Amino acid sequence: MKLFRKITTLFFPVLAAVISAGCSDRAVTGEPGSDTAMLNIRLSDGTSRGDADPANDGERIQTLRIIVLDGDGFAEHNTLRDLRTNPAMLVSGIDLPVKSDDLKTIIFVANEGGKTIADPSTGSEESLSDFLEAINAPAGQWVDISRLRGLTLQTRPDGCMDSPLAITAIHNYYIGTAPNYSAVFNIHRAAAKYSVSIVNSDPLNSHTLNSVSFDNIATREYLFPEADFSNDSQDAIVAYRPAQTSGKELTVTVGREIAPGEQIDLPPIYLPEGPVTTAEAPYRLCLTLDGIRTAWATISYAIEGSPATVPMTDLPRNTNVTIDISLNYVSFTAGVTVCPWQTSTIDIPTFN
């Protein structure tokens, strides 16, 4: 999915000329106590280490709930499939009889178990599974879509998102009067992923990477994308609106001594999308290296053919940030790329 690429063409039109150039790394430098480090990002159509095959089963569909509403918002189906024995990237072959000649609202929620949602309209928190299970399809219960779209997922106490990740979407799909209808729907991971690799380029000395810290990390996000898409298949976002939240600092403990020439890869870091910030308070990164914390480095977009950069001030869901850090004596360099994170599709159903 070209999520981040499409968004940047909306918010930063000056980048449009370099979008198709492919993923590219730009090096930056920083030393403990310095304030000159800058991280440059190239946005592209390409692939990177972090957005090819899923890193683990937590990025796949383990359970899938499908709720179908008729044109007036009344539930026709509410079904839950258990795929935990064989987590999937593609789910197909689900037959759901529905009323004909009607515009359906189809709600997808994967991996609902163990998730807590908040309803800003009431201020209450509850289990996501309990909330969805209570939608009574046999009784034809009316469902308030605007309320669903306002539900937010909370982060864990450490600031990360629970795995397996929630993967969600809401689609509109018209059922006519023909005997059968079939369609493929895209669903979106409700998270952004940071993939961090660290190599010790110092040929003589080991170095200890104590931790990696990020700034302006959101504390919650919407359960469903609050977004405008380029087409009905929802394969590219052209605008999105994250939940209102102030950014916070997140520190990931590493605690590894890295020998000369050794490379380590951190486990994927799953964070909520957003928040939208300002150029005066952009996304930032720093390290604690050999017990000394570096200055914050602003994550900025490099504009091809110009020395100017644009600070990163938002991060949509289903986006992968790949960070390659090189340790050298008491300094570091970091190359950063931002690419679309592989999407999931649901091939359902035969409506009849």
Side-chain angles (χ1 to χ4, degrees), residues 98 160 168 210 218 221 232 332 342:
V98 294
C160 297
T168 66
N210 307 99
E221 66 180 346
D232 290 341
F332 74 94
Q342 187 185 50

Side-chain angles (χ1 to χ4, degrees), residues 59-80:
E59 298 181 11
R60 295 180 172 91
I61 301 168
Q62 298 195 25
T63 65
L64 176 64
R65 184 179 296 276
I66 304 170
I67 300 172
V68 180
L69 310 182
D70 68 16
D72 295 317
F74 294 96
E76 292 186 80
H77 289 279
N78 183 358
T79 180
L80 179 66

Side-chain angles (χ1 to χ4, degrees), residues 201-339:
S201 298
D202 185 339
L204 301 176
N205 303 296
S206 296
H207 292 285
T208 298
L209 181 64
N210 307 99
S211 62
V212 179
S213 298
F214 306 94
D215 196 22
N216 276 322
I217 302 302
T219 57
R220 60 179 182 145
E221 66 180 346
Y222 287 122
L223 174 62
F224 298 100
E226 177 56 38
D228 302 324
F229 295 92
S230 60
N231 52 42
D232 290 341
S233 67
Q234 298 188 11
D235 60 4
I237 289 176
V238 295
Y240 86 110
R241 294 161 291 278
Q244 293 297 313
T245 175
S246 57
K248 63 177 289 186
E249 180 181 328
L250 171 74
T251 295
V252 177
T253 299
V254 180
R256 284 283 303 271
E257 182 175 312
I258 309 175
E262 182 184 6
Q263 175 178 316
I264 64 172
D265 295 319
L266 301 187
I269 303 165
Y270 302 115
L271 304 175
E273 69 174 338
V276 173
T277 67
T278 65
E280 290 71 36
Y283 288 78
R284 304 187 297 175
L285 166 71
C286 75
L287 310 179
T288 299
L289 177 62
D290 293 329
I292 303 173
R293 185 167 184 169
T294 71
W296 286 106
T298 297
I299 301 176
S300 298
Y301 300 100
I303 302 174
E304 190 171 277
S306 169
T309 57
V310 178
M312 177 173 159
T313 58
D314 68 341
L315 185 64
R317 68 182 60 198
N318 215 56
T319 303
N320 181 62
V321 181
T322 300
I323 304 176
D324 294 296
I325 296 173
S326 178
L327 309 179
N328 188 10
Y329 300 97
V330 295
S331 65
F332 74 94
T333 63
V336 180
T337 56
V338 176
C339 287

Side-chain angles (χ1 to χ4, degrees), residues 163-184:
S163 180
L165 299 171
I167 312 175
T168 66
I170 298 177
H171 285 266
N172 292 321
Y173 186 70
Y174 177 72
I175 300 295
T177 57
N180 297 289
Y181 287 80
S182 183
V184 176

